[in-house]
Amino acid sequence: LSGLLAPGGRLVYSTCSIESEENDAVVAGFLARHPDWRLADKAALVPPDRFCDGAFAAAPAPRHP
């Protein structure tokens, strides 16, 4: 779907997990397959009690303006 992004649009990958294989690994795989993209921003929210999953979001962006 990254090829359908409108000029100036924003692509966001988000999960309700803090597991690396569901988050950083997926984003790294996308970036490895799409060298014309870069990681613009990412955030992980970890609950303080650790009895439930947190959340993750990453925003890749095209390297060209």
Side-chain angles (χ1 to χ4, degrees), residues 9-39:
R10 187 161 195 185
L11 180 67
V12 176
Y13 174 76
S14 178
T15 68
C16 57
S17 171
I18 55 172
E19 300 297 326
S20 178
E21 62 270 11
E22 295 181 57
N23 299 320
D24 289 313
V26 173
V27 174
F30 173 83
L31 294 174
R33 291 186 308 277
H34 298 89
D36 53 330
W37 286 71
R38 63 179 174 77
L39 182 60

